[in-house]
Each structure stands twice: as structure tokens, then as C-alpha cells.
């Protein structure tokens, strides 16, 4: 049985996917690979809310995946409930822009992705917070517990 490619492709509001407001409303089309999001009229995606900064964040498509970067906004960004400065946004993740929640919908393979997803900046940040000994898989010696090889 063969499938027609046009039928099996998901339909989005824009060629690069869409942001769907979680509280209801029309999906926002993702129409190009770099999008400026903010309150100003010159932004690619204009969000007319008082708590959204004039230039709040930037969405960029990298290797088939969307990334989001905070542009020093007052009220910040969250991806799946976690505050972020820059992060890869996987399909069907929840993005909060100054407490306004959107579901990002897209198909990485249709946007040129292949192989594993590109590195997520949060992974490197978490990695750098841990000690070199922890990263090497060696635990620190507890001074209250004498080592088993000491006599």
C-alpha cells in the first residue's frame, strides 16, 4: 500500500510550522527561518500584550529544529515550564513568552533534519555546573566514611 506524500504530510499554518495559543485562538504561522517576536509592529510575530517586551525573543531554525533566544526581555521565556536564555524547542513543546503559552508544532524531517537533534544549550549549561570529577564518573570521597582499602 502506498501513501501519497501530500496526504501524509501534516498541515501547518506556515511552511515552517506554527505556534498554537494554548488558551485558544488562531495558530501563528512560522513563515521564515529567523523570526523576531515582540510587541513592536516591525516584529515578524507581533504579540500585543503589555508584559511582552518590544523585542522579546528570536526564533531561529537550525538543522531542522527551532531554537529560541531571549533578547533581554523583562518577563522572560520558558520552554516546558523551565526558564531559558537559549534552547532548542522540540516539536509539541510548550513555549511561554511572558506567561503567554504556545504549543510549537513542526516536523523536523520536513525542515531538513537528519540524524540526532542538534545539541541543546541547556545540556552544556547543566554539564558545566557539575564538577570535572562528577563528569568523569568519579565520586568524591566522603571524609566521614573511611575508604574500604584503608586499614
Amino acid at each position: 500500500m502506498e501513501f501519497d506524500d501530500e496526504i501524509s504530510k501534516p498541515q501547518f499554518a506556515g511552511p515552517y510550522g506554527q505556534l498554537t495559543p494554548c488558551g485558544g485562538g488562531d495558530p501563528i504561522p512560522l513563515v521564515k527561518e529567523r523570526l523576531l517576536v515582540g510587541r513592536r509592529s516591525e516584529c515578524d510575530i507581533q504579540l500585543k500584550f503589555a508584559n511582552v517586551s518590544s523585542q522579546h525573543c528570536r526564533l531561529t531554525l537550525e538543522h531542522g529544529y527551532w531554537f529560541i533566544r531571549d533578547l533581554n526581555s523583562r518577563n522572560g521565556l520558558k520552554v516546558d515550564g523551565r526558564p531559558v536564555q537559549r534552547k532548542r524547542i522540540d516539536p509539541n513543546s510548550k513555549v511561554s513568552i511572558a506567561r503567554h503559552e504556545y504549543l510549537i508544532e513542526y516536523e523536523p524531517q520536513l525542515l531538513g533534519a537528519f540524524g540526532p537533534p542538534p545539541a541543546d544549550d541547556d545540556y552544556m549549561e547543566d554539564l558545566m555546573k557539575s564538577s570535572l570529577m562528577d563528569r568523569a564518573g568519579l565520586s568524591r570521597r566522603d571524609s566521614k566514611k573511611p575508604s574500604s582499602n584503608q586499614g
Side-chain angles (χ1 to χ4, degrees):
M1 182 174 185
E2 291 184 35
F3 292 98
D4 183 46
D5 283 345
E6 292 304 313
I7 294 172
S8 62
K9 280 186 188 178
Q11 297 297 312
F12 298 121
Y16 298 100
Q18 66 190 30
L19 288 175
T20 304
C22 292
D26 294 333
I28 300 167
L30 302 176
V31 296
K32 56 185 187 176
E33 296 181 8
R34 288 176 49 92
L35 296 163
L36 181 61
V37 180
R39 206 175 59 244
R40 283 197 180 149
S41 60
E42 59 266 15
C43 290
D44 300 305
I45 297 175
Q46 188 179 10
L47 301 176
K48 297 181 181 182
F49 300 108
N51 62 344
V52 172
S53 295
S54 57
Q55 292 187 352
H56 200 95
C57 61
R58 180 172 304 283
L59 290 166
T60 54
L61 189 65
E62 301 174 23
H63 308 289
Y65 286 84
W66 282 104
F67 281 75
I68 193 163
R69 177 185 295 280
D70 193 327
L71 299 176
N72 298 316
S73 65
R74 282 188 321 255
N75 293 307
L77 296 173
K78 288 183 181 178
V79 174
D80 293 328
R82 292 182 55 209
V84 298
Q85 284 298 310
R86 182 181 189 281
K87 182 165 179 28
R88 185 184 72 232
I89 318 167
D90 293 327
N92 300 312
S93 291
K94 191 181 286 187
V95 178
S96 300
I97 301 170
R99 294 189 210 99
H100 302 280
E101 293 187 331
Y102 301 88
L103 188 69
I104 187 162
E105 299 175 278
Y106 70 99
E107 279 292 329
Q109 291 75 21
L110 297 178
L111 302 179
F114 60 92
D120 191 345
D121 290 12
D122 274 3
Y123 166 76
M124 287 306 296
E125 187 176 308
D126 289 345
L127 186 65
M128 296 311 287
K129 286 180 184 174
S130 62
S131 74
L132 190 56
M133 294 292 281
D134 290 340
R135 283 185 260 164
L138 304 171
S139 59
R140 295 185 185 150
R141 191 174 359 183
D142 188 347
S143 61
K144 294 180 181 125
K145 293 181 184 176
S147 178
S148 60
N149 65 354
Q150 290 180 342

